[in-house]
Amino acid sequence: MYVIVGLGNPEEKYLKTFHNVGYIAVGDVAAKLGVKFKKKECEAFVAEANLNGEKIILARPVTYMNASGRAVKQLLAKYKTDAAHLIVLYDDYDLPKASVRIRPSGSAGTHNGMRSVIAEIGTQNFTRIRIGIRDSEVNIPLINYVLSEIKKEDYELFISASNRAAEAAIAIASGKPVEVVMTNYNG
């Protein structure tokens, strides 16, 4: 069983911000698997899907970005799975806008939500799918940038990136090796 988590902030005012790209991507996973986020548990909105006979848990933490790890830790405990079966989708300022980068492990980089996840679950060894948000033409403080809305002219780019990230998450959860998925979706 896999737990697929999209990081973001739960309030509607954050819906189309860069920091909610993970929420958008896990929503795309849910749409592709034909499920909806119907229940709230473990400090997250949760959807359950079936993929090739295996249960898949999709989650959007409601803890706000900087405390995302609390929800992830609770979900792993409730569903009796470990970090090897965790996929986290999130925005990454260190990558160019709308690029997708998959890694089987690694540090949090500049991302506070990922710092929280790593601190709470005690390992960096889980799959992460990052969607780049950096725009070299924008020069504002990082905290202001990640909480700003995606520009209308860039929205389709991010929809496409979110869709690719969702497809990659589904491929990994269906049993494809991360290295193969990286080759097919990184870029």
Side-chain angles (χ1 to χ4, degrees):
M1 172 178 35
Y2 270 87
V3 174
I4 303 174
V5 180
L7 301 187
N9 290 309
E11 289 183 61
E12 191 164 327
K13 69 181 179 179
Y14 298 114
L15 190 62
K16 292 183 179 180
T17 65
F18 290 108
H19 236 9
N20 267 32
V21 169
Y23 261 33
I24 295 167
V26 80
D28 285 350
V29 174
K32 288 176 184 302
L33 296 177
V35 298
K36 295 187 184 308
F37 293 90
K38 290 185 178 176
K39 61 182 175 177
K40 188 176 174 187
E41 62 185 22
C42 302
E43 294 186 83
F45 290 111
V46 174
E48 291 185 20
N50 187 301
L51 183 62
N52 301 332
E54 291 289 322
K55 186 182 207 177
I56 304 293
I57 301 301
L58 309 176
R60 289 174 165 162
V62 296
T63 54
Y64 291 88
M65 183 63 80
N66 293 351
S68 297
R70 278 196 340 245
V72 173
K73 183 178 182 178
Q74 291 171 35
L75 288 161
L76 293 178
K78 177 178 175 73
Y79 290 100
K80 297 176 177 55
T81 193
D82 58 20
H85 293 96
L86 171 65
I87 301 169
V88 179
L89 300 130
Y90 65 102
D91 63 284
D92 192 335
Y93 184 78
D94 296 328
L95 297 174
K97 70 178 173 183
S99 61
V100 174
R101 182 81 43 88
I102 302 154
R103 292 179 59 198
S105 64
S107 72
T110 59
H111 203 282
N112 289 332
M114 285 300 287
R115 264 192 211 110
S116 172
V117 171
I118 290 167
E120 289 285 344
I121 68 172
T123 184
Q124 297 180 10
N125 297 323
F126 57 91
T127 302
R128 67 271 326 270
I129 301 176
R130 303 176 298 157
I131 300 171
I133 64 168
R134 187 181 69 238
D135 186 338
S136 58
E137 296 176 14
V138 176
N139 189 17
I140 60 174
L142 181 58
I143 186 67
N144 296 339
Y145 182 74
V146 298
L147 295 176
S148 65
E149 279 199 15
I150 297 168
K151 293 186 267 180
K152 287 184 183 192
E153 60 267 23
D154 288 338
Y155 207 69
E156 288 303 317
L157 274 175
F158 282 98
I159 294 299
S160 176
S162 174
N163 189 48
R164 284 194 339 268
E167 288 173 0
I170 291 168
I172 293 166
S174 69
K176 287 198 170 122
V178 174
E179 294 75 19
V180 171
V181 177
M182 289 168 61
T183 300
N184 293 335
Y185 290 94
N186 276 353

